[in-house]
Amino acid sequence: MALAGIINVEKYGTDARSANEMIERLTSIDWYSQAGVKCNEAEKKVEQFMSAIGVSEYKIKWLSAAQVSEAVSRLSFESSILWEVLKDLPDQLKEKIDAAGNEKLLADIVDKLPEAVFHGAYKQALNVFRDEKAIKFLVGHAMYISVLACTAELAGDVNPFSFIVELLADGHLPLGPEGNTFYLL
């Protein structure tokens, strides 16, 4: 579902251009097409993401598509080093965006992006996972990661979520943590 130019470049300037590029990437993803297919390159992208945000204590555990429903119910940020880093990141990114005067651009992204991502993520989640609870979780997950990736892009620093976007674009699913175990499909 390509949505070229969802954010008005004439209204927001060049910062909207990079946001639109990220939105184009996110809305072009073939969500979950390789979920459960083990791949060394996917693990490397998780490692790059963890390194970019400064997390070194974790282990990666591969799951099959059939294990997603059960895993979703076990996801926990309790005792998670990853969560300790991620919980403050949105506020830190927003501070940078506000300092650059782009708070209205961020509000526009947050308003438009989730709906743009929803349709593709929902369709694929329904095809791949079938379980209603898992589908609801995964669609929310896709929208949240998309907003974080665009927010980080707009903040102007190196975007650690670009590794997650690459992972998603490759058809894998970075499901999330249970403590310091990171589930990957």
Side-chain angles (χ1 to χ4, degrees):
M1 178 186 189
L3 296 172
I6 192 171
I7 304 299
N8 187 329
V9 175
E10 291 165 2
K11 181 177 180 180
Y12 296 113
T14 57
D15 290 329
R17 222 174 262 126
S18 67
N20 278 330
E21 288 171 8
M22 180 60 76
I23 291 168
E24 180 69 29
R25 287 179 70 194
L26 291 163
T27 56
S28 300
I29 288 175
D30 187 13
W31 296 91
Y32 323 120
S33 62
Q34 296 296 309
V37 178
K38 287 186 178 181
C39 169
N40 289 336
E41 191 62 33
E43 287 187 24
K44 286 179 186 172
K45 287 180 177 142
V46 171
E47 291 165 2
Q48 289 172 309
F49 169 70
M50 296 292 198
S51 176
I53 62 171
V55 173
S56 59
E57 293 182 39
Y58 65 93
K59 68 178 186 175
I60 297 171
K61 182 175 181 183
W62 281 92
L63 299 176
S64 69
Q67 294 173 299
V68 167
S69 244
E70 180 192 344
V72 164
S73 66
R74 287 193 327 259
L75 292 179
S76 169
F77 295 123
E78 195 172 311
S79 301
S80 172
I81 295 169
L82 174 61
W83 177 244
E84 287 303 312
V85 172
L86 288 180
K87 72 180 182 181
D88 297 324
L89 195 55
D91 290 335
Q92 293 167 1
L93 294 171
K94 184 164 181 346
E95 285 178 20
K96 291 178 183 180
I97 290 167
D98 290 351
N102 283 327
E103 55 278 346
K104 289 182 180 177
L105 173 54
L106 177 61
D108 206 8
I109 289 169
V110 170
D111 182 51
K112 294 177 180 175
L113 180 60
E115 181 182 355
V117 169
F118 170 86
H119 300 289
Y122 178 78
K123 180 180 174 183
Q124 282 300 101
L126 186 62
N127 288 338
V128 175
F129 299 102
R130 305 274 182 213
D131 177 74
E132 184 177 340
K133 181 180 173 186
I135 292 166
K136 285 180 181 179
F137 176 85
L138 293 174
V139 172
H141 179 270
M143 292 187 298
Y144 182 70
I145 287 175
S146 296
V147 169
L148 276 176
C150 275
T151 302
E153 189 70 26
L154 188 56
D157 291 338
V158 174
N159 185 347
F161 293 98
S162 64
F163 301 113
I164 297 298
V165 172
E166 289 174 21
L167 188 60
L168 291 165
D170 290 345
H172 293 286
L173 171 58
L175 189 60
E178 177 184 4
N180 290 324
T181 300
F182 188 85
Y183 293 122
L184 180 60
L185 281 84

